[in-house]
Amino acid sequence: MTQPFKTRITELYGIRLPIIASGLMWLADPVYVAAVARAGLIGFMTAASFPDVQALRAGIRRCRELSAGKPFGVNIMIRVSRDGTDRVNPLIDAVIDEGVKFVETAGNNPEAYIRRLKDAGITVLHKVPGVLRYVKKAESLGADAVTVIGFEAGGHPGTEPVGTMVAGVAAARAVKIPVIAAGGIGTGEQLVAALALGAEGVAMGTRFLVSEEIWAHRAYKERLVAAGETDTTMLLQSMRNHQRALKTAHVAMIQQLEKTEPVDTAAILPHIMGTVGRKAYETGEFEKAMLSCGQGVAFADRIEPLAAIVDRLEAEARTAMGRLQGIYQESA
Ligand SMILES: Cc1cc2nc3c(=O)[nH]c(=O)nc-3n(C[C@H](O)[C@H](O)[C@H](O)COP(=O)(O)O)c2cc1C
């Protein structure tokens, strides 16, 4: 197999292209993550999507069977639980026991967990919003690499609207660990641009939602294919839980609820429960849910196997590199 790009990220994971398929609630399951692995990238199964730890363990084994010996990882959301229940350590126990080598952490500060993961020999990628102090914190806590998310991203891009083009270069200049740029990235041209910014890889979520290996309903994927760069919106700012999602009737209704003074959080909560989104993925009734989606949906232009998407990303990156070589001439 050719190795078109060599960066500290391809070295860290032993992958062919410096592209990470980040965790996707409900969707990054063993079938999808194994397809990512076989395509020469690394993907992270979302631990929170499994009903319990036993199911997560079974998922890890299934992913290993399907991955043809290629690397894959698990995404662990660091949460501070309101009732004091520790929901993170049981997941860490499972990944350690099952011999998982790569973990992506996201959400809150991973300080209380990172040592355990590192002591077990696990490579830790921590994902942060595009604000420098979080990037530096990830490095100081001992993360092996950091993903910095710009405001274009699907899911939770953080509370500050800093775009990927700014966040990526600022992060790469600020830390010594390898930086992965994310948010709105869905083409090979953007991969090359991210490498030029000083990042050593990119992470994508939205771009891969239209892959055949994502189990969600075809009607939902067809909506994504039709969607352009203006078809996402931010919501949940009133709860300081900023989220970028596909514009739907359900999202418009929540945005309306957010306009009341004072905001009635209790009225909003039932509409943003994960199970509402899961049902929409099953039925294809996307208008009835809040579904994370980034501006890179503009590049999700057909439903096809994940490997075909990766082939296109690689071809686009090659063309972009060629174009750059034609532009820049070293003066004699
Ligand atoms: C449908 C969807 C679900 C997501 N679920 C999670 C999740 O459970 N955990 C997480 O860390 N990030 C989650 N994310 C964020 C992605 O991991 C990734 O950071 C983001 O998609 C990158 O930006 P992009 O969508 O512009 O490519 C989700 C994103 C999407 C689009």
Side-chain angles (χ1 to χ4, degrees):
M1 243 188 206
T2 56
Q3 173 84 46
F5 292 96
K6 196 168 164 224
T7 72
R8 283 192 290 161
I9 289 300
T10 59
E11 301 281 289
L12 189 65
Y13 293 114
I15 52 178
R16 208 172 67 77
L17 292 170
I19 303 177
I20 309 292
S22 253
L24 301 170
M25 187 63 190
W26 301 128
L27 302 176
D29 68 357
V31 169
Y32 166 73
V33 170
V36 169
R38 293 194 308 270
L41 323 180
I42 184 164
F44 292 86
M45 271 199 311
T46 320
S49 305
F50 292 90
D52 54 40
V53 171
Q54 277 316 106
L56 170 62
R57 284 172 179 269
I60 292 168
R61 288 179 204 159
R62 179 94 184 104
C63 193
R64 184 166 289 128
E65 274 165 29
L66 298 173
S67 293
K70 300 283 173 54
F72 69 92
V74 173
N75 166 289
I76 297 182
M77 185 62 74
I78 308 292
R79 350 160 174 229
V80 184
S81 74
R82 287 187 206 115
D83 59 4
T85 317
D86 178 2
R87 295 201 171 80
V88 178
N89 273 310
L91 303 177
I92 293 181
D93 292 340
V95 300
I96 293 174
D97 276 7
E98 295 296 331
V100 170
K101 295 276 174 289
F102 304 105
V103 163
E104 172 186 64
T105 52
N108 286 291
N109 184 335
E111 186 161 13
Y113 308 99
I114 215 161
R115 196 67 272 150
R116 274 198 75 202
L117 291 164
K118 297 288 305 161
D119 286 349
I122 292 173
T123 298
V124 180
L125 169 63
H126 185 53
K127 186 164 64 169
V128 299
V131 174
L132 220 42
R133 72 173 186 281
Y134 298 128
V135 175
K136 289 181 180 165
K137 185 79 184 171
E139 179 175 61
S140 73
L141 294 177
D144 296 282
V146 60
T147 299
V148 59
I149 312 251
F151 211 53
E152 300 92 324
H156 297 279
T159 55
E160 297 289 339
V162 182
T164 305
M165 199 83 182
V166 169
V169 74
R173 286 182 176 188
V175 291
K176 294 199 173 62
I177 54 172
V179 168
I180 294 168
I185 296 179
T187 72
E189 290 92 329
Q190 289 167 299
L191 166 60
V192 171
L195 298 175
L197 294 181
E200 304 204 29
V202 294
M204 298 184 198
T206 300
R207 177 67 185 93
F208 295 138
L209 293 173
V210 292
S211 62
E212 275 170 9
E213 292 83 353
I214 288 278
W215 64 263
H217 199 283
R218 197 171 175 91
Y220 157 71
K221 294 185 192 175
E222 281 166 357
R223 171 66 191 112
L224 297 182
V225 167
E229 74 281 9
T230 59
D231 285 316
T232 74
T233 186
M234 293 296 299
L235 70 163
L236 304 189
Q237 296 94 329
S238 66
M239 298 164 68
R240 291 197 61 75
N241 188 23
H242 298 46
Q243 170 122 3
R244 185 177 294 284
L246 188 65
K247 281 182 186 167
T248 62
H250 189 84
V251 163
M253 180 267 291
I254 296 169
Q255 286 172 323
Q256 228 18 69
L257 287 176
E258 286 198 277
K259 286 188 186 144
T260 56
E261 284 283 349
V263 177
D264 183 357
T265 306
I268 296 175
L269 284 177
H271 302 298
I272 60 173
M273 273 167 46
T275 45
V276 177
R278 196 195 151 91
K279 186 155 179 233
Y281 291 138
E282 276 164 15
T283 62
E285 293 176 298
F286 50 83
E287 290 292 351
K288 294 186 177 171
M290 175 186 73
L291 302 174
S292 293
C293 184
Q295 293 178 345
V297 72
F299 309 121
D301 55 355
R302 60 178 97 133
I303 302 169
E304 62 192 334
L306 189 106
I309 298 177
V310 174
D311 282 349
R312 287 167 66 202
L313 289 170
E314 186 175 345
E316 290 160 0
R318 193 179 306 118
T319 306
M321 286 298 295
R323 199 165 50 239
L324 292 181
Q325 275 151 12
I327 289 171
Y328 183 72
Q329 267 118 43
E330 202 76 60
S331 50

